[in-house]
């Protein structure tokens, strides 16, 4: 672990983050808002990072596993503090910890907010929230496809083992990143144009496209997509883009080469099956049991929107479902835990791990009947080694232990079980809203400053897929430095 | 799978169950209750089973894995129906499904009830409830120590691998059962005598001893141990016996030979550490946050009692904690999931699996830092093979999937999240009471008859440690018959 390696990597990421400040600055200029502090912040960030990068221009930073894990964890301290400064400058948040929470929530694409009146904010800050999502989302795809397999996390190792990476994508981070970046950009532009076509104002269309493609969840409206719930085109366009944003980007990348095979693998197939099955069932539950009688089509529309929003861990809300029938609420919790596909911006456990889990259980049960049989676990015709299997099952354990610890903490802070459990799943799964006191039309502002910092940490742990973070806490990580 | 094997095994178990009806019959005679129907039932059961066993006396039933799994699963149909008849005879339950629920709850040592006025029941039936616990508890110890390792379930395989079985206990089921039976009997007598000494009436002392040693939870009082909460001796005696009943019976068996090493292994150590730590913390939470101000000693007493009761999955209640501070409730949920030690009558996941889980996670994290290292997982100086590890992690998955399915079902039946989740954990973990609508002073009578049958099934699945049940659902189980 050399200081130069760390410094260079951290500076590159911070530099790109600085670049993304161009969006709020332009917004400030267009809407005649006091953009000067924002511009100065951006220029300072670019200047400092630029200077470091210039100084280290001859240094070739090839990170090893430890350095990689250290960089992707410690970068959140920089992002959290620097990204929070605009909120502090413009007095948008009552305290610094609130600003940090909002920022971490932005960059992790969680989308949980401490703001109660979003529409009263300067448009610059609204754009900054969306831009953080968008920048964060791109970073997460690169991280999960290029960095995670190195760290040995099961899910992406499997994709690597599947050979998608070495066949179709170049192994270098930079080239991979550029390729994915084009797909990400194309989706965002398509989404924004379609939203504009369907009747959204350009500013809202761009913000919501940023937020949707990153499966972020920050909106420019106080009641999120409740504002657009009457506009069927906007609703279904958003459902469509949320759903595809939850699919592995390597599959999308193949699509651009007219190769549909990426969608036919086990993970996206199960993901889409689950999405349709749960949306239909949950819609039926609303239609049958909801006292305020939405009608069949409206029930289905809101069900598809909500399930898409929570399963892809976007967190938009088209309606306040926090007091709805228990059957619907349990489905929202279920899809929070499932999450989207690995290699997308979605959080949660990820569908691929359930695919492997169910295959492993089937083999275990077979093994009990015929203990001397030899069993090979296959996924998409490729072998799941016992190493990958153990890493995956370990992830489940780590994920649920993290959630158990956070739920216990929040309960000890006085929250009821529904709020504590759903808040925990919403933070570690990078969903955003939970149930109870932290429902889709509520926010996290009522919590104490240290609760907000702990929740921020939970968002980061979830975003780093647990292992990467807990790696840093282990003794063996720090040995022999 | 031969019919004779199945018939003989099922008859043996049913015969023993018939014998255990002697307790309620004697109770009926002593308290001058109409014991004749009960006596006739007992004699019929003994006659039918006796005739079958006489007919098959020359048949040597050596069960293979499939037959074993089939027997221990299908026996519940017989136990559930035959055991329910006394409740039907004496009109104690409004319907047959209620009687089945109460019976399955008894034999699985779950202790969830559909009775609201227990004290109004004939003493015979009270004794039958306790006797079912006691008989069931003994069966479970034999099952988990003698049958489960055969089925390949990780937890007990490990104990087997540890060499406790082949060193100290004879490998034959019958000898093992007799050895454990003596320990079980000694504990029960000691517990009953101590309760009597502390001031309990003889009838209540015997019933509560049966219920405590089996970690069952049925009481002879409407408010369970709330009735004895003022008697400190009874409280602490019960806490002590609940806690030791949650420890592996192989350790107790060694103790009789003055060998304390069984208690020094990882599982009982972690079990006791967790028990004391959580009881202290939960007691502190009551003392600090509970509005009705119990005082420090009373807070601790109720906390130790409740945590012991739920962690050992006994399910006695000394106080109605259902509306207590959220921090206390979350600790009750936590210990529900942890459970007692493997090889005891306790349910839940079992502490040994957490020991293995945490060791596995530590190794996984080490492996990420040094991917080429060779790692050996040890527990109590014995190797945890990858086969045992996968089986254990698979158990976690199966356990949580079962609970997720049941929680979803109960939510779709209209229950709130707290009730649905805690009821599911209480059923599959064989705890008894949950939270919300199914708290320690409530009962399950408000549910529909089919809900009760599904909950009965859940108790059986939990009692069979999941794998044994799901084995029967697999295609490979039924192939090549
Ligand atoms: K989100
Ligand atoms: K119990």
């Amino acid at each position: 672990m050399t200081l130069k390696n760390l410094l260079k990597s951290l500076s590159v990421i911070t530099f790109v983050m600085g670049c993304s400040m161009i969006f709020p600055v332009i917004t400030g200029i267009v809407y005649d808002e006091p953009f000067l502090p924002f511009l100065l912040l951006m220029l300072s960030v670019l200047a400092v990072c630029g200077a470091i990068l210039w100084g280290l221009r001859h240094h070739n930073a090839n990170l090893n596993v430890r350095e990689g894990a250290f960089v992707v964890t410690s970068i959140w301290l920089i992002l959290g503090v620097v990204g929070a400064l605009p909120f502090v400058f413009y007095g948008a948040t009552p305290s610094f910890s609130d600003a940090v929470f909002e920022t971490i929530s932005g960059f992790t694409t969680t989308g949980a907010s401490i703001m109660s009146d979003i529409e009263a904010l300067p448009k610059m800050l609204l754009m900054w929230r969306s831009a953080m999502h968008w920048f964060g989302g791109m970073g997460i795809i690169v991280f999960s496809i290029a960095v995670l397999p190195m760290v040995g996390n099961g899910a992406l190792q499997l994709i690597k083992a599947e050979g998608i990476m070495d066949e179709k994508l170049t192994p270098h981070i930079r080239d991979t990143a550029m390729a994915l970046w084009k797909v990400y950009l194309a989706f965002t532009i398509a989404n924004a144009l379609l939203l504009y076509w369907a009747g959204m104002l350009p500013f809202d269309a761009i913000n919501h496209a940023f937020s949707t493609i990153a499966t972020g969840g920050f909106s420019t409206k106080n009641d999120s997509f409740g504002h657009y719930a009457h506009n069927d085109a906007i609703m279904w366009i958003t459902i469509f883009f949320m759903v595809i944003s939850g699919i592995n980007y390597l599959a999308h990348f193949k699509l651009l080469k007219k190769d549909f095979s990426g969608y036919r693998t086990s993970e996206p197939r199960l993901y889409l099956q689950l999405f349709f099955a749960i949306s239909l069932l949950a819609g039926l539950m609303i239609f049958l049991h909801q006292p305020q009688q939405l009608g069949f089509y409206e029930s289905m529309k809101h069900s598809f929107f909500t399930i898409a929003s929570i399963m892809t861990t976007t967190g938009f809300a088209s309606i306040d479902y926090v007091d709805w029938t228990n059957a619907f609420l349990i489905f929202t919790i279920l899809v929070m835990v499932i999450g989207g596909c690995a290699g997308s911006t979605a959080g949660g456990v990820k569908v691929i791990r359930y695919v492997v889990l169910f295959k492993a259980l089937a083999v275990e049960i077979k093994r009990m009947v015929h203990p001397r049989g030899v069993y090979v676990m296959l996924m998409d015709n490729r072998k799941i080694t016992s190493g990958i299997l153990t890493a995956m099952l370990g992830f489940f354990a780590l994920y649920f232990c993290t959630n158990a610890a956070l739920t216990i903490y929040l309960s000890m802070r006085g929250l009821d079980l529904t709020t504590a459990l759903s808040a925990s799943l919403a933070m570690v799964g990078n969903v955003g809203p939970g149930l109870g006191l932290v429902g889709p039309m509520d926010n996290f502002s009522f919590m104490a400053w240290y609760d907000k910092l702990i929740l921020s940490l939970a968002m980061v742990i979830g975003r780093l897929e647990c292992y990467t973070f807990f790696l840093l806490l282990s003794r063996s990580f720090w040995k022999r430095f």
Side-chain angles (χ1 to χ4, degrees), chain A:
Chain A
M1 197 132 107
T2 74
L3 198 64
K4 278 185 178 176
N5 273 355
L6 300 182
L7 206 57
K8 182 154 186 179
S9 316
L10 292 173
S11 299
V12 169
I13 303 175
T14 314
F15 189 87
V16 179
M17 187 265 268
C19 292
S20 70
M21 287 183 175
I22 194 73
F23 292 108
V25 169
I26 290 172
T27 306
I29 294 169
V30 169
Y31 289 95
D32 203 17
E33 290 174 342
F35 64 89
L36 216 61
F38 224 133
L39 183 62
L40 286 177
L41 176 65
M42 177 174 123
L43 294 177
S44 321
V45 170
L46 295 182
V48 171
C49 296
I52 295 172
L53 291 174
W54 178 256
L56 294 172
R57 69 191 179 281
H58 299 305
H59 179 77
N60 197 355
N62 278 322
L63 302 190
N64 61 27
V65 174
R66 288 189 199 195
E67 289 168 335
F70 189 84
V71 165
V72 297
T73 309
S74 58
I75 187 67
W76 293 97
L77 281 175
I78 302 173
L79 294 184
V81 171
V82 179
L85 292 177
F87 296 112
V88 178
F89 284 164
Y90 294 102
T93 50
S95 74
F96 192 68
S97 58
D98 281 51
V100 169
F101 179 91
E102 195 82 6
T103 306
I104 296 286
S105 174
F107 284 123
T108 55
T109 78
T110 305
S113 182
I114 49 88
M115 310 277 189
S116 21
D117 190 2
I118 292 161
E119 290 167 31
L121 291 178
K123 284 196 159 49
M124 266 187 311
L125 289 185
L126 292 181
M127 181 54 93
W128 179 225
R129 288 171 17 122
S130 311
M132 285 192 293
H133 272 344
W134 200 59
F135 166 76
M138 187 61 224
I140 286 142
I141 294 172
V142 173
F143 164 72
S144 66
I145 290 175
V147 179
L148 265 188
M150 260 181 24
V151 187
N153 184 300
L156 270 294
Q157 252 182 332
L158 197 61
I159 290 176
K160 195 180 164 193
E162 271 182 70
I164 299 179
M165 284 197 66
D166 19 33
E167 278 170 30
K168 302 279 164 180
L169 286 171
T170 52
H172 300 295
I173 293 187
R174 195 175 306 185
D175 298 346
T176 310
M178 282 309 291
L180 297 171
W181 158 254
K182 282 176 198 158
V183 183
Y184 193 73
L185 185 67
F187 279 175
T188 311
I189 293 171
N191 190 4
L193 288 176
L194 278 168
L195 287 178
Y196 175 66
W197 165 82
M200 221 181 244
L201 294 175
F203 176 76
D204 296 317
I206 294 170
N207 276 281
H208 283 119
F210 277 2
S211 191
T212 305
I213 300 302
T215 64
F218 279 150
S219 170
T220 53
K221 300 294 172 191
N222 280 339
D223 53 353
S224 188
F225 271 72
H227 193 85
Y228 303 104
H230 60 279
N231 186 327
D232 285 0
I234 287 180
M235 289 286 280
W236 290 106
I237 289 167
T238 305
I239 292 172
F240 173 77
F241 277 99
M242 286 194 290
V243 170
I244 65 166
S245 298
I247 295 179
N248 190 337
Y249 264 78
L250 292 171
H252 294 319
F253 182 74
K254 280 184 166 184
L255 183 70
L256 294 189
K257 298 181 173 178
K258 293 192 181 149
D259 174 2
F260 286 82
S261 66
Y263 299 113
R264 287 197 211 100
T265 52
S266 312
E267 191 188 20
R269 219 167 45 209
L270 181 61
Y271 163 78
L272 291 172
Q273 285 163 350
L274 284 173
F275 166 66
F276 281 105
I278 295 175
S279 298
L280 283 171
L281 203 53
L284 216 59
M285 284 291 145
I286 310 176
F287 177 61
L288 295 176
H289 294 299
Q290 203 43 39
Q292 65 234 45
Q293 286 301 345
L294 281 172
F296 187 75
Y297 171 73
E298 288 291 307
S299 297
M300 283 298 165
K301 187 175 80 178
H302 285 297
S303 176
F304 270 80
F305 189 92
T306 307
I307 298 299
S309 169
I310 300 185
M311 187 164 172
T312 63
T313 69
T314 306
F316 286 143
S318 61
I319 201 160
D320 190 5
Y321 50 82
V322 78
D323 289 322
W324 278 17
T325 165
N326 293 316
F328 184 73
L329 298 184
I330 201 78
F331 282 119
T332 66
I333 289 199
L334 177 69
V335 293
M336 252 186 218
V337 178
I338 296 175
C341 299
S344 75
T345 55
V349 169
K350 313 273 188 315
V351 175
I352 199 168
R353 293 200 177 90
Y354 290 97
V355 177
V356 175
L357 180 68
F358 292 133
K359 283 183 191 291
L361 283 179
V363 167
E364 273 309 300
I365 284 173
K366 261 188 215 158
R367 201 195 303 276
M368 283 176 193
V369 183
H370 305 294
R372 273 167 211 149
V374 175
Y375 304 93
V376 179
M377 275 180 64
L378 293 176
M379 199 182 76
D380 303 323
N381 295 321
R382 281 165 209 270
K383 198 184 156 191
I384 301 172
T385 65
S386 73
I388 288 176
L389 179 61
T390 320
M392 281 231 180
L393 294 177
F395 174 86
F396 272 96
L398 222 45
Y399 195 83
F400 286 104
C401 288
T402 307
N403 274 296
L406 188 56
T407 305
I408 290 171
Y409 173 77
L410 292 175
S411 297
M412 289 178 71
R413 295 284 302 126
L415 297 180
D416 63 286
L417 180 63
T418 304
T419 302
L421 178 64
S422 66
S424 171
L425 292 172
M427 292 295 107
V428 181
N430 300 119
V431 178
L435 297 171
L437 298 178
V438 294
M441 299 300 168
D442 304 295
N443 63 63
F444 286 77
S445 58
F446 69 92
M447 291 193 177
W449 65 269
Y450 45 90
D451 294 337
K452 284 171 190 152
L453 293 185
I454 285 177
L455 292 180
S456 304
L457 180 65
M459 294 189 246
V460 171
I461 293 174
R463 198 70 278 187
L464 293 174
E465 307 249 314
C466 298
Y467 270 129
T468 323
F469 175 81
F470 288 105
L471 204 57
L472 258 74
L473 297 187
S474 77
R475 239 184 317 175
S476 44
F477 183 89
W478 296 102
K479 236 186 282 175
R480 274 189 286 160
F481 250 12

